[in-house]
């Protein structure tokens, strides 16, 4: 029988009533003849609560125990979902990651999926079971320890299962009814997209649109998994939500597909570092060893053999970065005059595959920001995106102005 993967996010399994609603939706697909693999998140708020327990118990925690604790939220919803389906006379059982076993790397709290053997679950499907409910977000390392896949990781669990089982589609049920041109909470004109290309979705996801975990989009693109994002709160037709697909499947699209933002960014500048080969490697090697995710990087023109190096990073990694660089300086590994930190910036980006063939998008973006009196602090571009770092207080204004200027409220 064809396999369908259905993933339910935290708000879709937030209480018993919602689990029942989700289970009904699963029942509809089972009745159509699908064998269904259901991937569940923890009840909304649960993972945050568990992370809080760990932080409070042990500020410099052992990541293996962090994973043991924070993975548990999904165990509860997997069991409850299986029970709910059984109550509806749908043959179902639950699997925790290690039971599948979903094998991952040993990078605790951000493990990578390495393998999903299908024999266990397929054998059960062969025996008449119709729904395998799998706890998302978790797996098992080679050492036999429980791992987690990073926040939002159940999306990745879902796509990986869809690839492993060659599923017809991977439906991601969430609390929004699809992917929007921008965040509707800050821009009332935001429009739901019927389709979006993998590459655009990848950029939007990594730029801070929190609909899908970035890694899940990478996997979907690599394995050509048809991914659909839809709401578990509305009646569904087969066309509901947003289809994330190959760009060939999209006939018409705007030059700019969406405007994304990442609110909590910081900017750090190392003043007066030597301008010679190896310096960037020392700085960013040090930051990488400290687990800092550096994003935009700018090196200024140099004077008298010295230069300034600016980069952006998430605000919650500033302390770590600062400590690592101070230690590097103290140990004589790097000489710099001062480390300047600005923790009140946000990143705003426009994304669209149409930029590959159409020029003038950057010029228009900068004009719009200048008309609004917004100063740009750092700019980076790729083939299909332009990002700027600006003062956080202007973030919403910038998003709205760009959405207007590129007329994203109108379909192509
Ligand atoms: N429950 C996990 C989290 O909140 C994983 C997920 O829901 O995707 O990050
Ligand atoms: Mg999520």
């Amino acid at each position: 029988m064809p396999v369908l993967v259905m993933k339910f996010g935290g708000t879709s399994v937030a209480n018993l009533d919602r689990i029942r609603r989700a289970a009904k939706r699963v029942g509809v697909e089972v009745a159509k003849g699908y064998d269904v693999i259901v991937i569940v998140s923890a009840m909304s708020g649960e993972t945050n609560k568990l992370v809080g327990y760990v932080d409070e118990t042990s500020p410099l925690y052992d990541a293996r125990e962090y994973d043991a604790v924070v993975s548990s939220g999904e165990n509860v919803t997997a069991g409850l979902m299986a029970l709910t389906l059984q109550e509806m006379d749908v043959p179902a059982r639950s699997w925790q990651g290690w039971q599948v076993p979903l094998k991952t790397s040993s990078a605790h709290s951000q493990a990578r999926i390495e393998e999903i053997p299908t024999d266990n679950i397929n054998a059960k499907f062969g025996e008449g079971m119709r729904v395998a409910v799998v706890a998302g977000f978790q797996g098992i390392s080679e050492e036999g320890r429980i791992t987690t896949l990073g926040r939002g990781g159940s999306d990745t669990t879902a796509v990986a299962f869809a690839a492993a089982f060659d599923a017809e589609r991977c439906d991601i049920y969430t609390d929004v009814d699809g992917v929007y041109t921008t965040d509707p909470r800050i821009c009332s004109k935001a429009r739901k997209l019927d389709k979006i290309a993998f590459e655009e979705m990848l950029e939007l996801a990594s730029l801070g649109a929190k609909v899908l975990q970035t890694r899940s989009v990478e996997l979907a693109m690599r394995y050509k998994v048809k991914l659909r994002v839809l709401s578990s709160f509305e009646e569904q037709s087969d066309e509901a939500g947003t289809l994330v697909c190959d760009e060939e499947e999209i006939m018409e699209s705007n030059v700019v597909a969406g405007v994304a933002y990442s609110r909590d960014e910081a900017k750090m500048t190392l003043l007066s570092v030597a301008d010679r080969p190896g310096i960037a490697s020392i700085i960013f090697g040090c930051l990488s060893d400290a687990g800092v995710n550096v994003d935009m990087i700018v090196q200024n023109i140099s004077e008298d053999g010295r230069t300034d190096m600016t980069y952006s990073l998430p605000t919650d990694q500033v302390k770590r970065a600062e400590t690592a660089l101070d230690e590097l300086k103290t140990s004589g590994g790097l000489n710099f005059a001062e480390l300047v930190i600005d923790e009140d910036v946000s990143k705003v980006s426009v994304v669209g595959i149409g930029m590959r063939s159409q020029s003038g998008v950057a010029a228009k973006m900068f004009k719009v920001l200048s008309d609004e009196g917004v100063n740009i602090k750092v700019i980076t571009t790729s083939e299909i995106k332009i990002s700027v770092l600006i003062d956080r207080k202007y973030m919403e204004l910038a998003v709205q102005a760009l959405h207007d200027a590129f007329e994203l409220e109108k379909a192509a």
Side-chain angles (χ1 to χ4, degrees), residues 341-362:
I341 305 174
D342 179 354
E343 296 195 64
D344 295 311
V345 292
S346 296
K347 181 172 62 170
V348 174
S349 315
V350 297
V351 172
I353 44 180
M355 280 184 219
R356 280 197 205 123
S357 53
Q358 193 150 327
S359 60
V361 177

Side-chain angles (χ1 to χ4, degrees), residues 7 41-42 47 74 137 150-155:
K7 183 251 165 177
S41 284
T47 310
E74 273 72 8
F137 180 51
R151 298 305 307 270
S154 323
D155 295 333

Side-chain angles (χ1 to χ4, degrees), residues 6 12-13 25 47 56 60 101 119 124 131 175 215 234 237 241 247 256 271 294 333 336 362 399:
M6 302 172 78
S12 308
V13 291
R25 181 138 285 150
T47 310
E56 216 178 307
L60 290 172
D119 35 337
K124 287 290 171 194
V131 183
D175 50 2
R215 180 93 188 104
E234 285 168 28
S237 67
E247 64 180 277
V256 170
L271 290 180
V294 170
F336 57 88
V399 169

Side-chain angles (χ1 to χ4, degrees), residues 217-279:
V217 187
E218 279 169 13
L219 275 187
M221 184 154 101
R222 164 129 41 101
Y223 294 101
K224 299 222 180 289
V225 171
K226 251 197 192 171
L227 195 58
R228 196 161 63 129
V229 177
L230 66 177
S231 160
S232 59
F233 300 99
E234 285 168 28
E235 281 315 310
Q236 296 303 346
S237 67
D238 281 346
E239 281 80 49
T242 300
L243 190 68
V244 188
C245 59
D246 244 10
E247 64 180 277
E248 280 81 42
E249 287 179 55
I250 304 173
M251 297 291 280
E252 294 284 348
S253 63
N254 288 322
V255 181
V256 170
V259 181
Y261 65 84
S262 169
R263 188 184 300 270
D264 297 317
E265 297 288 317
K267 175 164 103 53
M268 286 182 135
T269 303
L270 281 160
L271 290 180
S272 186
V273 292
D275 187 9
R276 62 168 169 78
I279 289 296

Side-chain angles (χ1 to χ4, degrees), residues 17-215:
D17 196 46
R18 293 207 181 147
I19 292 178
R20 236 172 273 128
R21 280 169 72 152
K24 270 195 201 141
R25 181 138 285 150
V26 175
V28 170
E29 302 296 346
V30 169
K32 287 185 198 161
Y34 287 109
D35 280 341
V36 179
I37 298 175
V38 171
I39 310 291
V40 286
S41 284
M43 291 178 175
S44 61
E46 202 54 31
T47 310
N48 285 344
K49 192 177 89 190
L50 296 168
V51 170
Y53 286 157
V54 173
D55 281 339
E56 216 178 307
T57 308
S58 172
L60 290 172
Y61 53 73
D62 172 346
R64 290 164 300 193
E65 301 305 347
Y66 167 96
D67 279 352
V69 175
V70 304
S71 62
S72 65
E74 273 72 8
N75 298 344
V76 175
T77 43
L80 290 172
M81 176 63 82
L83 283 174
T84 310
L85 287 160
Q86 289 171 4
E87 285 297 317
M88 293 163 43
D89 291 325
V90 178
R93 69 154 271 195
S94 69
W95 266 272
Q96 295 183 7
W98 65 272
Q99 293 173 302
V100 174
L102 187 149
K103 298 179 189 166
T104 73
S105 68
S106 310
H108 285 276
S109 83
Q110 43 188 348
R112 293 264 175 153
I113 298 177
E114 287 175 348
E115 196 194 340
I116 303 181
T118 54
D119 35 337
N120 254 328
I121 287 176
N122 273 336
K124 287 290 171 194
F125 279 141
E127 290 167 18
M129 181 198 65
R130 300 301 307 282
V131 183
V133 184
V134 179
F137 180 51
Q138 50 171 265
I140 183 166
S141 70
E142 211 183 329
E143 293 78 22
R145 302 295 305 257
I146 305 296
T147 53
T148 62
L149 309 177
R151 298 305 307 270
S154 323
D155 295 333
T156 302
T157 308
V159 174
F161 269 85
F165 285 80
D166 202 15
E168 201 166 293
R169 216 176 49 235
C170 180
D171 286 344
I172 307 275
Y173 285 91
T174 176
D175 50 2
V176 293
D177 60 350
V179 179
Y180 277 72
T181 48
T182 194
D183 186 346
R185 284 169 304 184
I186 69 169
C187 177
S188 58
K189 292 184 197 162
R191 176 175 56 87
K192 183 178 82 70
L193 296 158
D194 292 333
K195 290 183 176 181
I196 185 163
F198 285 128
E199 278 189 68
E200 290 171 334
M201 191 63 232
L202 195 56
E203 291 287 4
L204 291 177
S206 61
L207 290 172
K210 296 211 175 61
V211 210
L212 289 171
Q213 197 196 32
T214 308
R215 180 93 188 104

